[in-house]
Amino acid sequence: MVTILRLQVDRIRSLLLDNRYFWILAVLVIASDAFLTGLIVRFVPYTEIDWETYMIQVETYMKGQHDYSEISGPTGPLVYPAGHVYIHQFLHSICDSGKNIRLAQYIYSGLYLLSLVLSCAIYRQAGASNWVVLLLPLSKRLHSIYVLRLFNDCWSVVAMQAAVLAYQLGNDDIGTMFFSAALSVKMSIILYLPGLLVIFFKRRGFVYTIRKLSFIFATQVLFAFPFIRNNWRGYVQGAFDLSRVFLYKWTVNWRMVSEETFLSPQWRRALLLGHICTLIAFGWNRWCKQDGGVPQVLLRGLRRPTLPASLIPVTAESIATILFTSNLIGILFARSLHYQFYCWYAQQLPFLTWKTRYPLAVKLALLVGVEYAWNVFPSTNASSTILLISNALLLTGLYVSE
């Protein structure tokens, strides 16, 4: 009896810790979550928020209106890049002009499971411990964002996950195509750009980095050409308005500051300064540390612009860490986060906490704190403070982890 018990314990330990069994555990997690997601769609009522607006905006476009400033819906004007329009034009065509909500939910269920598969693949490439994937399906809010709310953020997240995996596998061309596709759906993908530039510059050099940036810009122009041709200012102001101010009443973060402060240009500039300084700190002391620091990396990259600026290989683990951290920094200093924005980093949190040196209890507490904050509706001073502290502690843990 003792021998049998010890054998079972060894098997469980291997499943949780031995990377040879990573995909066995991952498949069990994915299959279990597929069953759970099906139950959610079947038994939890759908909540209309933006889906109707997406469909009305698409119908306006399909009727021939290509001026972004003239396209609107019940919840406001069209404020997403052109890729959003094309995706929802397709969904409009196969979901009975948007009326077949159940079919849309099943499509989003498949999208959610694809995001789970991609997350597991990224974790595996980065060398994460097997047990970390057990944390991926535990978010109530994330399931809601995908299959009960049908937010467009989900499409950009999955495309970005595909980009991260492609970069890890060394296929920068495919990765950049997915990155640009993600950016064409949601402007928030820009948060990854600082980390991506570091990876390009270190791995392939200055000229290569400029080429990739040019490709990203060109594809954005190509996606948006029907709208740019009609009114390019209206398109840029609608799809890539970096000065957009979200309503205070819907924000999940920074609730603890007054509305007057929240909406002030001084607060916006302070957050931008904090964002830039934190990126510089990570770039200077973490992302380029093993290469002799930022000055040495820049010097090598500019002296030999067609060659890699890094002295060591850019690993799959460092790619995930740099990109996810770049995204987390942007989220921490974002003036406003709405509830659907949680999907921007929800599936990255287990990996990022695993990367820190905190005790397991602290890691789990950070995840619980973040999840709690995103499930309090409407947000409160307390929930917003918990979110800020959790995100800041996670970022601090990443900064001191190497």
Side-chain angles (χ1 to χ4, degrees):
M1 185 67 178
V2 175
T3 303
I4 295 175
L5 183 60
R6 184 181 296 114
L7 180 61
Q8 294 305 316
V9 171
D10 288 341
R11 286 176 176 173
I12 294 173
R13 183 183 294 111
S14 296
L15 193 62
L16 295 176
L17 301 175
D18 191 334
N19 59 20
R20 293 177 299 175
Y21 301 101
F22 179 92
W23 277 110
I24 294 177
L25 182 60
V27 168
L28 292 174
V29 168
I30 294 166
S32 300
D33 204 3
F35 178 73
L36 173 63
T37 303
L39 292 179
I40 292 172
V41 172
R42 177 68 178 83
F43 294 107
V44 182
Y46 162 79
T47 301
E48 171 58 43
I49 298 181
D50 281 341
W51 174 260
E52 181 184 2
T53 292
Y54 297 161
M55 294 299 105
I56 291 174
Q57 290 171 346
V58 163
E59 288 173 358
T60 303
Y61 162 71
M62 293 170 65
K63 290 176 182 178
Q65 179 57 264
H66 291 174
D67 185 340
Y68 248 53
S69 63
E70 299 296 327
I71 301 177
S72 187
T75 60
L78 179 55
V79 291
Y80 310 114
H84 158 86
V85 177
Y86 304 141
I87 288 172
H88 287 86
Q89 181 183 11
F90 171 74
L91 293 174
H92 181 278
S93 67
I94 65 173
C95 294
D96 189 21
S97 301
K99 299 181 182 67
N100 192 340
I101 299 296
R102 183 51 56 88
L103 176 57
Q105 286 184 284
Y106 286 135
I107 292 172
Y108 271 78
S109 297
L111 187 67
Y112 169 74
L113 293 175
L114 176 58
S115 77
L116 191 59
V117 171
L118 290 170
S119 293
C120 290
I122 291 168
Y123 281 29
R124 180 67 183 91
Q125 289 296 317
S129 296
N130 299 11
W131 63 267
V132 182
V133 302
L134 294 173
L135 302 173
L136 284 170
L138 301 183
S139 173
K140 174 185 175 182
R141 177 61 67 185
L142 188 62
H143 285 89
S144 173
I145 290 168
Y146 273 86
V147 302
L148 299 179
R149 305 294 190 271
L150 310 181
F151 283 116
N152 68 334
D153 303 72
C154 305
W155 295 94
S156 64
V157 166
V158 171
M160 188 62 217
Q161 289 174 324
V164 174
L165 181 60
Y167 289 135
Q168 288 180 310
L169 295 173
N171 199 324
D172 287 359
D173 291 338
I174 291 179
T176 305
M177 288 176 60
F178 276 117
F179 177 87
S180 197
L183 183 59
S184 79
V185 178
K186 197 81 176 183
M187 182 180 64
S188 59
I189 299 300
I190 288 177
L191 298 180
Y192 292 93
L193 192 58
L196 186 60
L197 293 178
V198 171
I199 291 169
F200 283 158
F201 195 80
K202 288 177 61 176
R203 188 149 76 171
R204 298 294 180 87
F206 177 72
V207 172
Y208 184 86
T209 302
I210 296 301
R211 283 172 47 204
K212 289 303 177 188
L213 278 176
S214 300
F215 175 83
I216 292 169
F217 178 79
T219 52
Q220 293 308 306
V221 172
L222 182 62
F223 281 130
F225 185 72
F227 306 104
I228 291 175
R229 181 176 56 182
N230 187 282
N231 178 4
W232 72 268
R233 287 188 179 86
Y235 177 79
V236 173
Q237 290 172 359
F240 294 98
D241 183 5
L242 296 174
S243 62
R244 186 179 306 147
V245 179
F246 294 97
L247 294 176
Y248 177 74
K249 69 177 182 177
W250 296 121
T251 190
V252 181
N253 63 331
W254 302 113
R255 171 71 68 182
M256 72 290 296
V257 304
S258 68
E259 183 171 6
E260 181 181 3
T261 300
F262 182 88
L263 297 175
S264 69
Q266 294 84 359
W267 181 247
R268 178 179 63 85
R269 287 193 289 268
L271 291 175
L272 178 61
L273 180 61
H275 188 177
I276 293 171
C277 290
T278 306
L279 283 171
I280 292 173
F282 269 88
W284 197 280
N285 297 314
R286 287 295 171 261
W287 298 340
C288 298
K289 181 180 179 180
Q290 293 179 309
D291 295 294
V294 171
Q296 291 301 316
V297 171
L298 288 175
L299 189 59
R300 282 193 298 270
L302 296 176
R303 279 182 173 176
R304 45 181 199 179
T306 61
L307 298 176
S310 179
L311 295 174
I312 59 176
V314 180
T315 65
E317 180 180 354
S318 66
I319 287 172
T321 302
I322 291 172
L323 290 176
F324 291 173
T325 304
S326 181
N327 184 44
L328 176 61
I329 294 170
I331 288 171
L332 176 64
F333 289 100
R335 175 158 54 170
S336 179
L337 294 175
H338 291 185
Y339 285 92
Q340 66 267 33
F341 297 176
Y342 185 34
C343 70
W344 294 0
Y345 76 137
Q347 291 169 313
Q348 300 170 10
L349 291 172
F351 174 81
L352 291 175
T353 53
W354 171 76
K355 283 288 295 181
T356 70
R357 293 181 178 178
Y358 292 136
L360 179 60
V362 176
K363 294 179 180 182
L364 296 178
L366 291 177
L367 293 175
V368 170
V370 172
E371 179 69 17
Y372 165 78
W374 285 98
N375 279 280
V376 174
F377 179 83
S379 65
T380 64
N381 288 348
S383 68
S384 190
T385 300
I386 289 172
L387 179 63
L388 175 62
I389 292 173
S390 300
N391 284 339
L393 285 176
L394 177 55
L395 195 61
T396 302
L398 291 166
Y399 188 81
V400 302
S401 65
E402 298 179 12

